[in-house]
Amino acid sequence: MRVTGATLEELFRDSLLGMVALADPVSSAERRALRREIALESGDATALLVDFLNEALALMHTDREAYTDVAFHSLAERSLQATLEGYRAESFGEDIKAVTYHEADVNRAATGAWETIIVFDI
Amino acid sequence: MNRSGIAPIRIDTVLRENKLMFDLSRLERVSACLWEIPKSFRDDMRVPARIYSSEAMLKEIVRDRSIEQLINVATLPGIALWALAMPDAHEGYGFPVGGIAAFDAQHGVISPGGIGYDINCGVRVLRSSLKKEDVLPHLRNLSRTLFAEVPSGVGRGGRLAFRGPDLDAVLVRGARRMFELGYATEDDLAHTESEGALPGADPAFVSEQAKSRGHDQLGTMGAGNHFVEVGYVEQIFDAEAAEKLGLCADRVTVLIHTGSRGFGHQVATDHIRVMNRAMPRYKIELPDRELACVPFDSEEGRQYFAAMQAAANFAWANRQLITHEVREAFRKVFSDGALSLVYDVAHNIAKLEEYRIGPVSKRLVVHRKGATRAFPGQPVLIPGSMGTTSYILLGQQASLEASFGSSCHGAGRRMSRTQARKDFNPAALRDDLAKQGIVVNAGSGRGLVEEAPLAYKDVDAVVNVVHEAGIAKKVVRLRPLVVVKG
């Protein structure tokens, strides 16, 4: 998945929503809304993004959650605090098993936009 | 039921199909089936990189970045003799799949990338008392019954759930725990690599998330390239060895290919994170972050090794419980559930083994990622793709000197899953397999086409390389009749 964002926040948000879209969640018509708090520290922006997505992925697997938005209370290149918003999913159409570092590199393009590639182990 | 209403996001998949990623002229030929990239090729290489392959198969291997990845592996601290790739090599995460690297236990590293996310993904083969003609009239019924008995597919849990001390007992005792619960025989354990339990497993170094992901996954196949396949002995290459394994012409066999499911993936993810944070402390710099590693003899190294062994034991328990389910299916269809385990091998694992390096004997942490242990006299199981043959070989003495007691593990992908989805059609593939007399029962058409035979290399050519190199000798070839997958 190739992701770009005008800001770091946009890059992280779209990476999360892209991953959830790829996982293809199925839910009943009546969705129960839920929130999740996440706080992470990592070595750099790439590690932070991979850790963020892996943390969300683990919750998707263990608690069958699908996320529709994220609010960042703080987001720097090495740490974040966020609230994930979503709903309980009944199942997923695609088995994303892990978020890898393969080709991942959060960087700023000449245009000033943030970008990276994210490869999922499926 | 509604699909999620998440706003659509543009997703570009990244492909590099049909480009040559390495200049073949840079390879030096060591022997008919062995090629070398000398240490001088790149300044940071600590040992040469070696590839077991025929000349023709090299052209497949250089279509992706597996050789570049192998060169990266050759730069890791404490690597012994060579970084090795087998003929089924293809691009993985960090290390190539079909790769072997051994590191000095005292001065070298351990790397989850050299083992793979699916820790102890592996394969086992069972033999039945039935012959091909006994099962031919029942293929559809057998296929449906196996599909019902062995849970498969995305997020599908098993019949049993293990939590707390019950799950820890599985992580410590692996397949033996399944014996204690009545799902295995002593004979099953005797025919499993390491008797289905590694002694260094410690659940204390496994996260609660991993335990939660795995609690209901025992006895499940999962999706992807995992399968249960019923076949028969089509060709015998070594009659004496075949007889010792209880195999004769037309004998019906069952192959089971799966691993540690989400549990193993979470263990790998958790410890890659720990290692990424620890590496600066050990002054380890890498050409690829998926090679994340720490000294084997370090707190982080010991903890990962203990967690990896717990995941390996989980996988052996998983294949054992699936064996029980397959026996139930055979009992329902044939009133005969007698299936004896020929052997079970891991092909994603790290093990402490002793090898002679020059005049001295050394303890090495042998990483096999998409590679099968091939100790002298040990059965080596090489499944082909769905619709093609599989092989049983016997490991040879030469493997100890040539490949850290290791062989290839399968046909090896020649095409990404994404590309296979574009190139193949489920209905046409089912028709094609049906024409070959193969009944397929798959949970999803998408999953089916990802595993199309043409997405894989020619397994006959792959196996011929290890046979000719003297690493393992061909015993029998199996042909599929029924393939069940998630």
Side-chain angles (χ1 to χ4, degrees):
Chain A
M1 179 172 80
R2 179 176 285 124
V3 195
T4 57
T7 62
L8 201 56
E9 192 171 311
E10 202 174 295
L11 183 85
F12 274 56
R13 179 183 177 278
D14 283 0
S15 296
L16 174 71
L17 300 188
M19 179 174 78
V20 174
L22 282 172
D24 193 14
V26 179
S27 72
S28 59
E30 222 173 284
R31 288 183 188 165
R32 197 152 56 89
L34 56 87
R35 285 167 181 253
R36 282 277 184 183
E37 305 296 324
I38 287 187
L40 289 170
E41 284 183 21
S42 304
D44 58 33
T46 302
L48 187 65
L49 178 59
V50 171
D51 289 346
F52 171 63
L53 294 177
N54 268 319
E55 190 69 20
L57 183 65
L59 291 167
M60 288 165 70
H61 280 292
T62 56
D63 293 37
R64 291 191 189 254
E65 296 177 357
Y67 306 109
T68 51
D69 205 356
V70 54
F72 290 100
H73 310 302
S74 68
L75 175 59
E77 290 195 25
R78 291 177 175 211
S79 66
L80 65 79
Q81 279 192 308
T83 303
L84 306 180
E85 294 175 15
Y87 58 92
R88 191 83 60 203
E90 294 193 2
S91 62
F92 293 95
E94 180 70 82
D95 192 10
I96 299 178
K97 294 168 186 157
V99 183
T100 76
Y101 278 97
H102 194 71
E103 302 192 16
D105 180 20
V106 173
N107 65 82
R108 289 192 95 144
T111 58
W114 291 89
E115 61 179 16
T116 189
I117 287 170
I118 296 289
V119 174
F120 300 103
D121 188 35
I122 57 169
Chain B
M1 303 285 266
N2 295 330
R3 291 279 166 188
S4 81
I6 293 168
I9 290 173
R10 188 165 158 262
I11 297 166
D12 298 324
T13 50
V14 185
L15 296 174
R16 287 185 310 277
E17 306 287 344
N18 300 319
K19 284 186 200 163
L20 295 185
M21 306 299 287
F22 190 82
D23 178 3
L24 281 172
S25 69
R26 308 297 299 271
L27 292 173
E28 294 176 5
R29 191 167 203 156
V30 178
S31 63
C33 296
L34 181 59
W35 308 78
E36 183 170 289
I37 301 161
K39 197 175 136 188
S40 57
F41 178 82
R42 218 170 76 183
D43 287 347
D44 54 351
M45 288 173 73
R46 295 171 194 260
V47 293
R50 286 187 160 191
I51 304 123
Y52 283 92
S53 175
S54 65
E55 194 161 2
M57 293 204 74
L58 275 178
K59 290 175 187 137
E60 295 274 1
I61 294 174
V62 297
R63 289 176 73 219
D64 64 24
R65 294 196 314 198
S66 44
I67 292 190
E68 182 191 328
Q69 292 186 326
L70 191 67
I71 291 167
N72 289 340
V73 173
T75 71
L76 295 178
I79 187 166
L81 295 178
W82 331 274
L84 293 171
M86 286 289 147
D88 54 340
H90 58 95
E91 185 174 333
Y93 306 124
F95 287 61
V97 178
I100 303 126
F103 300 92
D104 187 300
Q106 246 189 317
H107 307 294
V109 295
I110 185 166
S111 172
I115 293 148
Y117 283 92
D118 190 0
I119 296 163
N120 190 4
C121 184
V123 61
R124 62 172 47 190
V125 64
L126 308 157
R127 66 171 182 270
S128 83
S129 53
L130 303 166
K131 293 293 215 56
K132 179 187 167 191
E133 60 268 22
D134 301 324
V135 302
L136 280 179
H138 306 283
L139 294 186
R140 293 215 171 269
N141 186 16
L142 181 59
S143 152
R144 279 193 296 269
T145 310
L146 282 167
F147 192 77
E149 285 294 326
V150 185
S152 64
V154 180
R156 178 103 186 264
R159 292 180 180 81
L160 304 174
F162 294 80
R163 291 186 191 277
D166 291 339
L167 180 57
D168 286 355
V170 173
L171 303 184
V172 171
R173 301 207 285 283
R176 179 153 292 280
R177 183 62 188 147
M178 293 299 107
F179 169 75
E180 292 161 1
L181 295 172
Y183 300 113
T185 65
E186 281 284 9
D187 188 63
D188 291 339
L189 304 183
H191 290 89
T192 302
E193 181 177 331
S194 301
E195 297 190 359
L198 295 176
D202 190 340
F205 300 120
V206 174
S207 72
E208 286 307 313
Q209 278 183 329
K211 290 177 182 176
S212 180
R213 270 180 86 167
H215 84 278
D216 65 347
Q217 292 186 326
L218 283 171
T220 68
M221 198 193 314
N225 62 351
H226 297 154
F227 61 79
V228 171
E229 178 181 298
V230 180
Y232 67 96
V233 176
E234 180 194 54
Q235 189 173 357
I236 295 175
F237 302 95
D238 182 336
E240 195 184 333
E243 197 183 339
K244 279 186 187 161
L245 296 176
L247 298 169
C248 59
D250 289 338
R251 174 72 63 209
V252 168
T253 56
V254 181
L255 279 163
I256 298 170
H257 177 222
T258 190
S260 51
R261 311 280 283 105
F263 179 87
H265 278 77
Q266 193 63 45
V267 167
T269 296
D270 292 339
H271 287 267
I272 287 171
R273 185 172 181 211
V274 169
M275 290 187 188
N276 265 313
R277 294 162 72 108
M279 279 191 301
R281 224 169 346 107
Y282 297 111
K283 298 184 171 42
I284 295 173
E285 290 181 14
L286 300 171
D288 179 344
R289 296 176 80 140
E290 279 286 331
L291 299 171
C293 58
V294 290
F296 180 69
D297 189 14
S298 68
E299 190 185 349
E300 295 87 353
R302 283 188 289 275
Q303 290 182 0
Y304 170 66
F305 193 49
M308 185 222 72
Q309 291 180 87
N313 292 348
F314 183 93
W316 272 312
N318 188 29
R319 289 198 288 277
Q320 185 58 51
L321 198 47
I322 290 175
T323 299
H324 172 78
E325 293 162 350
V326 169
R327 285 171 173 155
E328 285 298 309
F330 267 66
R331 199 167 286 125
K332 283 181 179 171
V333 176
F334 303 109
S335 308
D336 180 0
L339 289 164
S340 306
L341 184 55
V342 176
Y343 205 63
D344 177 304
V345 287
H347 52 225
N348 277 4
I349 203 159
K351 287 185 139 181
L352 257 179
E353 293 167 2
E354 206 153 309
Y355 290 89
R356 225 170 160 74
I357 307 286
V360 292
S361 191
K362 283 204 166 183
R363 285 172 84 227
L364 301 176
V365 191
V366 181
H367 291 54
R368 298 188 178 98
K369 180 182 184 179
T372 310
R373 198 178 72 171
F375 284 0
Q378 178 217 297
V380 175
L381 314 176
I382 312 295
S385 63
M386 173 178 62
T388 63
T389 54
S390 298
Y391 284 82
I392 301 176
L393 302 89
L394 277 187
Q396 300 295 309
Q397 185 67 30
S399 74
L400 299 179
E401 289 100 44
S403 59
F404 299 112
S406 312
S407 176
C408 59
H409 85 305
R413 291 198 83 90
R414 57 180 293 277
M415 186 185 287
S416 70
R417 290 197 166 107
T418 311
Q419 191 63 38
R421 286 181 191 178
K422 287 180 180 173
D423 286 6
F424 305 115
N425 168 287
L429 179 58
R430 276 180 209 277
D431 281 353
D432 189 40
L433 293 168
K435 280 179 196 152
Q436 297 175 55
I438 302 166
V439 175
V440 178
N441 207 331
S444 82
R446 192 169 59 182
L448 182 71
V449 293
E450 285 175 2
E451 300 306 311
L454 285 174
Y456 283 85
K457 298 177 194 180
D458 176 359
V459 69
D460 297 329
V462 168
V463 167
N464 282 340
V465 169
V466 295
H467 178 85
E468 283 162 25
I471 290 170
K473 293 290 181 192
K474 292 191 282 190
V475 178
V476 298
R477 185 166 69 189
L478 312 175
R479 184 159 291 279
L481 294 168
V482 171
V483 179
V484 176
K485 61 187 304 309

